[in-house]
Amino acid sequence: MNRKIQNQAIHQRKYKITGLFLILCIAMFIFLFSILKTIISERNIPSHNTTIYDRSFRGSIISEDDYTLSNSQKTYQAVIRGASIDPEKKELFLKLFSIYSGIEEKKLRKKFKNRKGKDIKGNIILSKHITSRHAMQLKSLAYKLRKLDVFRSIKNRNGIEVLYGLDIIENGETRRFPLKDVMSPILGYVGKKSDGRYTRPQGKKGLERNYEKHITSKKNGYFKGKRDVVGTLIHDKNSIKMQRVDGLDLHLNIPLAFQRRVELMLDSMKQSIDAEEIIVGVMESKTGKVLSLASSERYDPAHITQKDIPALNPKFSEYPYEPGSVMKPITLAIALEHKVVTPNTWFKTGYDRFQIGKKRYITDDDFFDSQTATDIIVHSSNIGISQISWRLTGEQYRDGLLKFGIAKPSGIDLSRDLPGQLKPLYLLNNKMHRANSSYGYGMMVTFSQLFKAYSAFNNDGVAVTPRIVAYLQDEKGRHYTLKPKVGDLKAVGKRAARQIHKILLEVVKRGTGVKAQYPGLEIGGKTGTAHIVKHGHYVREYHSSFYGFANDKKGHKYTIGVLVIKAKKYHKYFASQSAVPTFKRIVDILVELDYLKPEGGIEAASPRIKEHSGISLPPVRAQMKKRKTAVKKEKKKPVKKKSVKSLFKIKTKPKLKPKPQPVKNRSPHEMFDDLF
């Protein structure tokens, strides 16, 4: 009995010892596991090192006369912890933050409430779109609020007392268009691209889109080094600095002073003829350097509204249309190149109705029994140009149009360059279709295609590609040029081009373009008025155009194109009443700004300054002459510099001379802000 009791006691001790051992093992395992977890887990211990990031910028877009048209600036967000504000000083915080940020107090109060109307204790983003200027002010405010004890310490999850304040955090980059709608169809607009923490602009249209790869931010910079006890980075030999690499700047061929004058003139012309839109282009005929590419439909890329949507797609290269009679010189040029006609070849045109197909007849506006090839262009004869096209085969005619760049992208450096449309060869082999195309129907072209094609008549047969951008520039001032996607075209030979050149001069001397005449200059071009198709039928709405050139004896040669879309005033839809006067006013501006120099001088060519429907273009050279004379007479007196605003003056009644005011230095952007 005693032995049995002893055995039970022994077993009980074994169980107890085994249990204690297992508990000890488990405790040891837990201890080791906690140590291992501590070793491998990240600890919130202040680092001895710190990094300051310097994020790169998107490149700017700059005019030929060095005005910034588009650039980038950093944006910041303001964050506050709701529970950290002393309730008794909350009104003070709201008042001061509203003053410094420009945000209404009413909007700020709403941000402190959740959907149920209760106060938010956690983080509150007061604004995500704070500019650099406001960010500096708010950082200063954050320091002052701490001094005023507006913030109080609160316990975090770990039970540690922490004093949270107003944090201003860099959160992205935004695009700035300081001159608002100026050149907007060319510049385009941007969207947003975010990686979750940082937002950058991304080009959507125009130059912003086309040159996205080149102007976008390249590489962020940073500065790494040890920090002191208060967190300030220590600059020493162990510090590492990486320079940021910004996107390339775009430098345009377009001078802002000239472009803005053209835009103001277009605004006035649009109103006077009640057109839907007017677009124009001016470029050097030899180089393709674009001096102006303007539209009456513009928008502020930084503040796009619902009514701006139709203008977002620029019509320079994205609006195919039937061109009408401006195709006639191109048709004749192809025939001259193939030597099937000469400028003096006679054609019978005296038909009341001229049959070009089984049930298809055409007529002319003016009746002439017979006309030469030259007069067919001068008087814009549909009957005559149809007969000229019939002397070509369908293949000859189609290949000739392709050499001029018809039905091909023009190569202009915009985001989208549509090719248009040309009838297939099997249709152009048919006389009716060939005749129809010869006077600009049954095909689709863009403004930039005809703009390029007409440069051949002022450049010995070479059609040059329009170039908006002159070069790209990096931060070290190095220049880079890109080849156009579509190069120059040898449209026709020198002989044929010069023959058409002379014929276009005759159009202005005695044909449909007489209103484009300018004494002392060589002016040539061709009008075109074409019906618009809606729902498969031609309606009483028109595209009116005039493409041509303006040259002087000094060697300045410019190709100029004008397209008027849906002029509604009575008889203003005729190109001679809308596109030609617009062309003439462009020439006026070229002369006033010294791009063209009429033989005998500006005074002999035009005795008075032309009035552009209420817009006065001041005689720049006369102003400069007076300014030089005044400087000579009063060398000791300081000369007040005139802003470029003087180029865009509108006539006003004379006012009494105000008392002299102290001159304030102003930036170019401030000068241009007054314009808008």
Side-chain angles (χ1 to χ4, degrees):
M1 186 67 183
N2 291 333
R3 185 179 291 274
K4 187 175 181 180
I5 293 171
Q6 287 178 352
N7 288 337
Q8 286 179 350
I10 291 170
H11 283 300
Q12 286 178 356
R13 284 197 296 271
K14 285 182 180 179
Y15 293 146
K16 287 179 181 179
I17 293 170
T18 303
L20 288 171
F21 179 76
L22 289 174
I23 292 170
L24 182 62
C25 289
I26 293 170
M28 182 63 70
F29 176 79
I30 293 171
F31 175 72
L32 293 173
F33 178 77
S34 63
I35 292 174
L36 180 64
K37 185 179 178 182
T38 303
I39 293 171
I40 63 174
S41 63
E42 293 184 2
R43 290 176 290 172
N44 294 323
I45 299 174
S47 173
H48 295 293
N49 300 315
T50 189
T51 303
I52 298 176
Y53 290 99
D54 183 17
R55 291 185 171 88
S56 59
F57 274 111
R58 186 181 181 87
S60 300
I61 301 179
I62 302 166
S63 70
E64 190 270 344
D65 42 2
D66 289 328
Y67 285 95
T68 299
L69 306 170
S70 173
N71 66 346
S72 290
Q73 62 182 7
K74 291 183 179 180
T75 58
Y76 300 80
Q77 66 180 15
V79 182
I80 191 73
R81 202 171 182 87
S84 68
I85 301 177
D86 188 336
E88 295 181 0
K89 297 181 179 180
K90 187 174 182 179
E91 287 301 315
L92 174 63
F93 172 83
L94 292 171
K95 176 69 72 175
L96 290 174
F97 189 89
S98 176
I99 293 171
Y100 276 73
S101 67
I103 303 173
E104 295 178 7
E105 287 185 47
K106 185 178 180 181
K107 290 183 179 180
L108 291 173
R109 281 195 178 87
K110 289 182 179 179
K111 293 181 180 291
F112 282 85
K113 302 286 185 180
N114 60 21
R115 292 181 180 180
K116 296 180 179 179
K118 295 182 179 180
D119 289 335
I120 298 174
K121 301 295 183 181
N123 287 336
I124 301 169
I125 299 176
L126 299 176
S127 177
K128 289 184 178 180
H129 309 286
I130 297 172
T131 63
S132 299
R133 181 169 64 88
H134 282 126
M136 290 179 64
Q137 294 172 350
L138 289 171
K139 285 179 181 179
S140 173
L141 174 64
Y143 176 77
K144 293 173 184 177
L145 291 174
R146 283 182 181 270
K147 290 289 185 181
L148 294 171
D149 294 327
V150 172
F151 305 116
R152 61 182 182 178
S153 299
I154 57 175
K155 287 185 178 181
N156 62 13
R157 293 179 180 178
N158 298 323
I160 301 171
E161 293 276 347
V162 179
L163 179 65
Y164 294 98
L166 174 62
D167 292 322
I168 308 300
I169 305 166
E170 183 182 332
N171 68 341
E173 173 190 342
T174 188
R175 205 63 171 159
R176 179 173 170 265
F177 297 87
L179 304 182
K180 299 183 180 178
D181 74 332
V182 176
M183 228 182 290
S184 54
I186 300 172
L187 299 177
Y189 63 97
V190 298
K192 293 180 180 179
K193 182 181 180 181
S194 177
D195 60 2
R197 293 184 177 181
Y198 202 80
T199 301
R200 294 187 185 273
Q202 184 177 39
K204 295 297 183 182
K205 275 290 180 182
L207 297 175
E208 293 279 4
R209 169 68 176 176
N210 192 51
Y211 287 90
E212 173 73 18
K213 180 172 67 174
H214 306 284
I215 67 174
T216 191
S217 304
K218 301 300 179 185
K219 189 175 182 181
N220 293 330
Y222 60 83
F223 194 97
K224 289 182 179 179
K226 292 184 178 180
R227 66 175 195 158
D228 58 22
V229 292
V230 294
T232 304
L233 193 144
I234 301 171
H235 294 253
D236 59 21
K237 64 180 182 179
N238 296 317
S239 302
I240 301 173
K241 183 178 182 180
M242 179 63 70
Q243 194 73 29
R244 80 181 191 204
V245 181
D246 293 333
L248 299 176
D249 292 337
L250 289 186
H251 286 260
L252 309 187
N253 286 316
I254 300 173
L256 179 60
F258 181 67
Q259 173 77 11
R260 187 54 177 165
R261 280 200 173 195
V262 173
E263 289 180 346
L264 292 174
M265 181 271 291
L266 291 185
D267 293 343
S268 179
M269 277 299 298
K270 178 189 173 184
Q271 186 176 4
S272 67
I273 64 176
D274 192 18
E276 182 176 290
E277 184 174 356
I278 307 175
I279 62 177
V280 305
V282 182
M283 73 172 173
E284 292 181 355
S285 299
K286 290 183 179 180
T287 64
K289 176 182 175 182
V290 174
L291 269 68
S292 178
L293 202 58
S295 169
S296 60
E297 297 304 293
R298 303 183 300 279
Y299 56 92
D300 183 353
H303 301 94
I304 296 173
T305 61
Q306 186 72 25
K307 67 180 182 63
D308 295 325
I309 292 176
L312 296 181
N313 294 326
K315 291 187 171 63
F316 307 112
S317 58
E318 297 188 29
Y319 182 72
Y321 69 101
E322 288 184 297
S325 294
V326 290
M327 285 301 300
K328 291 173 183 175
I330 296 176
T331 300
L332 178 56
I334 298 169
L336 291 171
E337 183 73 2
H338 286 280
K339 299 180 180 179
V340 295
V341 296
T342 70
N344 297 319
T345 303
W346 284 88
F347 292 88
K348 180 175 173 54
T349 57
Y351 300 93
D352 291 331
R353 293 199 312 162
F354 183 73
Q355 187 173 7
I356 60 171
K358 288 184 179 180
K359 296 182 180 180
R360 187 70 182 272
Y361 296 86
I362 59 173
T363 60
D364 283 340
D365 292 331
D366 299 315
F367 183 88
F368 294 92
D369 187 60
S370 296
Q371 295 182 83
T372 63
T374 295
D375 287 335
I376 285 170
I377 302 300
V378 170
H379 300 295
S380 200
S381 169
N382 294 335
I383 294 172
I385 200 65
S386 296
Q387 294 178 68
I388 291 173
S389 72
W390 290 346
R391 295 200 175 188
L392 296 163
T393 66
E395 185 176 5
Q396 286 175 331
Y397 185 53
R398 194 174 194 279
D399 288 346
L401 292 175
L402 292 173
K403 286 181 179 179
F404 271 96
I406 306 301
K408 292 181 178 180
S410 66
I412 193 169
D413 42 345
L414 289 173
S415 56
R416 200 164 176 229
D417 188 13
L418 298 181
Q421 190 176 359
L422 189 60
K423 289 181 178 180
L425 181 58
Y426 79 90
L427 287 179
L428 288 177
N429 281 328
N430 181 287
K431 290 177 69 175
M432 182 189 75
H433 288 286
R434 198 153 69 253
N436 191 238
S437 295
S438 71
Y439 50 83
Y441 282 90
M443 64 168 64
M444 303 297 282
V445 302
T446 63
F447 176 86
S448 58
Q449 285 174 335
L450 284 178
F451 191 39
K452 179 177 181 176
Y454 264 75
S455 69
F457 302 138
N458 204 33
N459 191 35
D460 288 337
V462 178
V464 294
T465 301
R467 296 296 293 165
I468 300 170
V469 174
Y471 58 88
L472 297 95
Q473 180 176 305
D474 63 17
E475 58 187 7
K476 294 182 180 179
R478 292 175 295 200
H479 292 186
Y480 305 89
T481 56
L482 300 175
K483 289 184 179 180
K485 294 178 182 178
V486 179
D488 299 345
L489 301 173
K490 183 63 176 176
V492 288
K494 186 183 293 185
R495 183 170 179 270
R498 290 182 175 180
Q499 288 172 329
I500 296 295
H501 182 96
K502 290 180 180 178
I503 292 171
L504 295 178
L505 292 176
E506 291 297 314
V507 173
V508 173
K509 286 179 182 177
R510 56 188 178 88
T512 54
V514 291
K515 289 186 177 181
Q517 292 178 6
Y518 200 105
L521 295 177
E522 185 183 61
I523 306 292
K526 182 68 183 78
T527 56
T529 305
H531 284 273
I532 293 174
V533 173
K534 281 188 176 180
H535 308 297
H537 300 282
Y538 287 106
V539 297
R540 289 190 175 182
E541 293 180 342
Y542 303 87
H543 288 119
S544 310
S545 56
F546 187 80
Y547 293 88
F549 52 82
N551 307 330
D552 63 17
K553 292 292 180 71
K554 301 290 185 181
H556 303 119
K557 294 186 173 184
Y558 299 102
T559 299
I560 303 172
V562 178
L563 173 62
V564 179
I565 301 172
K566 299 180 184 177
K568 300 177 184 64
K569 281 198 175 178
Y570 183 66
H571 278 182
K572 293 296 183 181
Y573 63 83
F574 288 116
S576 59
Q577 301 294 320
S578 54
V580 176
T582 304
F583 180 99
K584 174 67 176 300
R585 293 177 181 185
I586 294 169
V587 176
D588 283 335
I589 301 172
L590 285 166
V591 171
E592 283 299 318
L593 296 181
D594 264 349
Y595 290 98
L596 286 172
K597 298 181 179 181
E599 193 174 9
I602 184 174
E603 293 79 11
S606 182
R608 63 183 180 83
I609 301 304
K610 307 295 178 182
E611 292 185 4
H612 288 196
S613 300
I615 295 177
S616 173
L617 300 176
V620 177
R621 282 181 288 180
Q623 288 182 352
M624 294 300 293
K625 190 175 180 181
K626 288 179 181 179
R627 191 180 302 171
K628 288 178 182 178
T629 305
V631 171
K632 287 180 180 179
K633 288 182 179 179
E634 302 180 26
K635 288 184 178 180
K636 294 182 180 180
K637 291 184 178 181
V639 180
K640 182 180 178 181
K641 291 184 178 180
K642 289 190 176 183
S643 72
V644 184
K645 182 181 176 183
S646 62
L647 298 175
F648 313 136
K649 277 183 182 175
I650 295 176
K651 282 188 174 180
T652 55
K653 294 181 180 180
K655 296 181 179 179
L656 294 174
K657 190 175 180 181
K659 293 181 180 180
Q661 298 290 332
V663 179
K664 179 185 177 184
N665 291 328
R666 306 171 72 206
S667 69
H669 299 309
E670 289 178 309
M671 294 179 188
F672 275 95
D673 284 341
D674 292 341
L675 295 176
F676 317 112

